[in-house]
Amino acid sequence: MSADEKVAKDLVETLKDGQNGFASAAEKLRDSNSPDAAATLERLSEQRAGFARDIVAMGFAYGDDVDESGSVAAAVHRGWISLKDTLTGDDASGVLGAAVTGEDHAVSEYEKALAEDDLSDGFRATIQQQHAAIVTARDEVKALQHLT
């Protein structure tokens, strides 16, 4: 398995977690006093879906199948796992705090990916662009949390 393929599989799992986590958080906040936050989280969920599609498409172009879901490592170490407990309550700040935790995990996964020496140049460039967008998203969610 190439370095690109291994990193891509890990990142696709992280992105799927983020997509689902943001969608769940947005649904929770939609009926609260934070409809603007819900709209932001929906947008970020869609962003993660697009990032995952981009990585999967790159993998297919190289003959790699990176769209496998449910790897054991990913199931054990989900960045959005804390969101489950928080979503049972109605506290917007708590929901956004869990989203920040998920984003911290996503940033960490991207930094780990970028530390890989053997990535192809094209894949590295895509990962760098996505990393920058995820850092921006994390900061945006942190700002929303402070407003609630």
Side-chain angles (χ1 to χ4, degrees):
M1 177 183 310
S2 71
D4 283 7
E5 184 177 5
K6 180 188 178 318
V7 167
K9 286 181 183 212
D10 291 344
L11 291 180
V12 166
E13 287 295 331
T14 297
L15 290 164
K16 286 180 181 179
D17 288 345
Q19 176 186 356
N20 294 332
F22 277 132
S24 296
E27 184 176 324
K28 186 66 176 174
L29 295 181
R30 193 173 296 117
D31 296 329
S32 72
N33 293 333
S34 304
D36 291 340
T40 297
L41 298 178
E42 287 173 1
R43 176 178 50 80
L44 294 174
S45 175
E46 292 169 10
Q47 176 195 61
R48 297 312 151 84
F51 286 173
R53 281 190 303 271
D54 291 347
I55 290 175
V56 169
M58 288 184 80
F60 285 143
Y62 291 110
D64 295 333
D65 182 11
V66 298
D67 194 20
E68 296 176 3
S69 59
S71 73
V72 174
V76 172
H77 195 338
R78 300 257 190 221
W80 280 87
I81 204 73
S82 66
L83 191 60
K84 285 182 186 176
D85 295 333
T86 303
L87 290 178
T88 60
D90 290 327
D91 178 28
S93 180
V95 171
L96 291 168
V100 169
T101 299
E103 286 303 89
D104 285 341
H105 174 74
V107 168
S108 173
E109 289 297 306
Y110 269 80
E111 289 172 352
K112 184 171 81 175
L114 289 168
E116 177 67 46
D117 290 332
D118 296 332
L119 297 179
S120 67
D121 291 340
F123 185 61
R124 181 176 299 282
T126 296
I127 299 310
Q128 287 171 329
Q129 290 170 348
Q130 290 184 0
H131 173 260
I134 288 175
V135 168
T136 299
R138 179 192 58 191
D139 294 345
E140 187 175 3
V141 174
K142 280 182 181 180
L144 285 173
Q145 182 186 21
H146 292 298
L147 294 174
T148 59

